[in-house]
Each structure stands twice: as structure tokens, then as C-alpha cells.
Amino acid sequence: MKSAFERWKSKSYALTVPLRVVALEGSVPPVWIREFLKSQGKRVRFRPEFRRSLKDIFHELSDPLKKEKINPKSAAAADLVTLGDSWLNFGISKGLIEPIEAAEDQDWFRGLSDKWKDWSDLWRPELAGKISMVDSPREIVGAVLKCMGASYNTTNIDSQVVGGKHAVLQQLELLVQQVRLFDSQQYLKAFRAGDVWVAVGWSSDVLPAAKTMTKVSVIVPKSGASLWADFWAIPTTSRLVTDQIGGRVRGPSPLMEQWIEFCLQPERALPFKEEIIAGASPLSLKPSVEEPQERSSKGRPKLETNLVANIPPAEILSKCELLEPLSDDALSDYQWLMRNLQKPSQSIMNRLRFSISSAVATFRSRMQSKAV
């Protein structure tokens, strides 16, 4: 027995610590992966995976609760997942994600900005039929609310907007008459082709496209724009009976906190500031006095914009709003607007109506038998 014990002690075992994250495609700069591995040493088994859309990640989180079993390769088996702000309230209310234990005690949490705890041009007569826009009701109705001096995050239109829902509907109908195309996939294609003169969309789409074009400006309205974010979240798996959840058996990887803190280090903002990848670090929401820098534009036209390192100047940033989940009252208001919107093109109304309810309908259809 003593001899066997000595042989056992003489064996060397490789101790590795796993961390599996599932993120939106294109949201994590490749240099982050290399630098994180370098910072953590050889014992880290880091497995980043990517999905084409946030909807794909959300479906992977909700499927196991419907099927009562989990696929080790799904997002639900990851230590951390990217979850967009529009899906956050559903993820929380249906128990798809769990809180980060003792987050308030972590340095990365204490360092976050408080942000995290002129649209009227679109109505100009000469732009009638010359605008393309994403078919997101949060952006469409949000532009109307912002133009009327209200907030993107209005929780009850009748009590918070002058004139209530009927006034908002009137402005919305005028905007719809101005817009030639509502299509989140094709709005920039129409702009490139010259079919429209103005494209209203997300910076992650607009900035890369605009850099390849001439005589194009990217402008954030002086009255402010929407700020949207993707979050790292922990999938809830405690209700599932399984003996393998990715690389973990007793909860999330102990490297989870290191990854989040790594993502929020000031150095991580460099790929965004150098415009290698569209977007910005949460740390960039703190007002900056940084001036635009001349960058090498060899082979590419210079882009005119009021953005500085993908961030609006301080006076505009202070008027921008981080999108919050829609309250039940706000969701009801949006659905009322879509039902009462009048426009000769029925397809536009159908797309808008579908878009506002797609997240709710998709989730409810998958979770109806498992609602908690």
C-alpha cells in the first residue's frame, strides 16, 4: 500500500480551469482573446464561441427548459453568454439567467459609470421617400418620442407625452410617409444604391459601411440617440438534471470574474477607439475631452462625423439614453400604435407590428408549457 501511495504521489496531473463564453459574432475583438489567454497563463482552457444573432443565443437559453435537458454545446451550458438589452427582462423574469454573486464587491462593478446601474430633420418635406430605416419599433417610435421632447424609455405615453398616444400616432404616421424602406437587412443597401438620401440605423452597421463611401456623413442628432448594449450573463442551469454542463459541474467557472474585469480594463477600449471594431467600451460613456485624431485614410475616403472614437461629444452624449426593457404599459402603448397606424403599404405595417411583438411571441410560444 505504501509503495502504491508513493507511485500515486509521483504522478503529475494537469490542472486546467475552464471558461466557456458564447458571444455575438463580431462583438469580441480577436486581440482580447489572445491577451486574456496571455494574462491568465497556461492553465486556462478558454473557449469563446460565437453566434450570428442575439436571437440565436436567447433560443439556446430557453430550449433546455422546454425540453428538460441540456446540450453541452448550447449557450445554456456556457459560463457566460451575451444577452442583448431587448431580451434582458425576459431572461430575468423567466429565470433563464442568474445574478452574478457579490458583483457589487467587485472592482469592475464599482468602476462602472452611472449610465449603466435632431430627429426633426426626418420630417423635412424634401426628404419624403428618401429615407431608409431599420424596422425596430424601439428606434422608430423612439425617434418620434425624442422629436417630441420625450424619452426613449417613456413608460406611459398618455401620462408622459403632451397629447398622449394620439399625438404620437400622428407624428408616427407622418414619419412612415417619409420613409421609403423599413428593413433592418436592406436599409443600407438602398442607401448605397442611391435610392435614398438618409439611412437611420445602428452604428455597428452604419460606421463600417460609411467608411467605404464618399460624400457621406455619420451624425448623431443633437437631441441625443439611443444607446444599446449587449450584456454578459450567467445561464441558469440549476433546474436541469445533467452531469455535464460545458466544462463546469458546480456552477460558473471561477474565471468568470476575471473575464468580466478583463473586458472592462481601459486597454480593452483600444480596438474601439482605433475603429477596428464598431462600438465602444462602457468606460467610454464617461464624458471625454478627446479631440478627433487624423488617421491614415490611405485607400479610403475620410469619414465626416461628429463622433469621437465611436462616441458622441459630451454635450450630445449627456442627452443619449441607454435603452431599458419596455414596461407592460409601454409595450401596450407600442402595440396600440402599430394597430392604429395607417399607411397604404400594408407590408410596412405588418413588418412593424411583427417586429414589436416578435420577442414576446417567440418566447411565449416556446415557453407556454413551462411558464413559471
Side-chain angles (χ1 to χ4, degrees), residues 171-188:
Q171 289 298 315
L172 178 60
E173 288 178 337
L174 291 175
L175 175 61
V176 169
Q177 292 171 17
Q178 293 281 99
V179 177
R180 177 170 180 170
L181 175 69
F182 288 102
D183 192 314
S184 296
Q185 303 299 320
Q186 303 295 329
Y187 74 105
L188 285 177

Side-chain angles (χ1 to χ4, degrees), residues 61-181:
L61 290 177
S62 58
D63 277 347
L65 297 185
K66 178 182 178 182
K67 299 176 180 177
E68 296 185 341
K69 64 179 181 179
I70 186 171
N71 183 339
K73 296 182 180 181
S74 76
D79 297 297
L80 287 169
V81 298
T82 297
L83 191 64
D85 45 23
S86 61
W87 301 96
L88 184 62
N89 57 337
F90 299 110
I92 294 174
S93 64
K94 302 305 179 183
L96 302 183
I97 58 176
E98 61 186 54
I100 298 177
E101 293 290 340
E104 60 277 5
D105 298 328
Q106 301 295 323
D107 291 338
W108 60 264
F109 184 86
R110 290 194 290 264
L112 284 177
S113 165
D114 290 339
K115 280 277 187 182
W116 296 94
K117 311 184 196 168
D118 293 321
W119 291 107
S120 59
D121 284 343
L122 298 180
W123 282 260
R124 288 164 53 181
E126 61 267 33
L127 290 181
K130 295 296 183 181
I131 301 172
S132 64
M133 194 170 185
V134 293
D135 63 357
S136 165
R138 286 305 300 271
E139 300 298 343
I140 299 168
V141 178
V144 174
L145 292 172
K146 205 69 175 172
C147 182
M148 297 178 70
S151 167
Y152 275 100
N153 298 314
T154 298
T155 56
N156 188 294
I157 292 178
D158 280 332
S159 63
Q160 294 177 275
V161 181
V162 176
K165 290 198 294 287
H166 290 278
V168 172
L169 177 61
Q170 183 179 16
Q171 289 298 315
L172 178 60
E173 288 178 337
L174 291 175
L175 175 61
V176 169
Q177 292 171 17
Q178 293 281 99
V179 177
R180 177 170 180 170
L181 175 69

Side-chain angles (χ1 to χ4, degrees), residues 19-23 28 33 37 45-50 259:
L19 175 64
R20 179 171 174 253
V21 301
V22 175
V28 177
I33 299 172
L37 286 169
R45 185 159 54 90
F46 184 41
R47 296 167 54 196
E49 300 174 17
F50 302 96
W259 171 249

Side-chain angles (χ1 to χ4, degrees), residues 133-323:
M133 194 170 185
V134 293
D135 63 357
S136 165
R138 286 305 300 271
E139 300 298 343
I140 299 168
V141 178
V144 174
L145 292 172
K146 205 69 175 172
C147 182
M148 297 178 70
S151 167
Y152 275 100
N153 298 314
T154 298
T155 56
N156 188 294
I157 292 178
D158 280 332
S159 63
Q160 294 177 275
V161 181
V162 176
K165 290 198 294 287
H166 290 278
V168 172
L169 177 61
Q170 183 179 16
Q171 289 298 315
L172 178 60
E173 288 178 337
L174 291 175
L175 175 61
V176 169
Q177 292 171 17
Q178 293 281 99
V179 177
R180 177 170 180 170
L181 175 69
F182 288 102
D183 192 314
S184 296
Q185 303 299 320
Q186 303 295 329
Y187 74 105
L188 285 177
K189 185 176 180 180
F191 184 69
R192 285 180 181 275
D195 295 333
V196 297
W197 299 346
V198 176
V200 182
W202 298 298
S203 59
S204 56
D205 292 339
V206 171
L207 287 173
K211 288 176 186 176
T212 65
M213 305 173 68
T214 57
K215 298 181 181 179
V216 170
S217 296
V218 175
I219 299 297
V220 179
K222 292 181 179 179
S223 56
S226 63
L227 300 175
W228 48 272
D230 297 332
F231 302 91
W232 290 117
I234 305 174
T236 297
T237 55
S238 57
R239 284 179 283 172
L240 303 173
V241 179
T242 178
D243 58 358
Q244 183 181 10
I245 302 176
R248 58 190 174 110
V249 292
R250 294 186 181 89
S253 167
L255 289 175
M256 176 197 66
E257 297 286 359
Q258 284 92 321
W259 171 249
I260 295 177
E261 187 161 348
F262 173 85
C263 293
L264 292 173
Q265 291 172 352
E267 309 92 275
R268 304 288 82 77
L270 189 59
F272 299 108
K273 289 183 177 180
E274 293 186 345
E275 301 177 4
I276 297 173
I277 185 170
S281 164
L283 300 177
S284 301
L285 288 183
K286 296 179 180 178
S288 172
V289 295
E290 181 180 356
E291 295 296 329
Q293 298 180 2
E294 292 293 332
R295 305 186 191 279
S296 173
S297 57
K298 186 177 180 180
R300 294 191 307 180
K302 181 180 177 182
L303 175 63
E304 294 185 13
T305 178
N306 62 351
L307 293 170
V308 179
N310 291 341
I311 295 294
E315 66 273 13
I316 297 180
L317 180 59
S318 64
K319 300 174 183 177
C320 294
E321 299 178 76
L322 188 67
L323 292 180

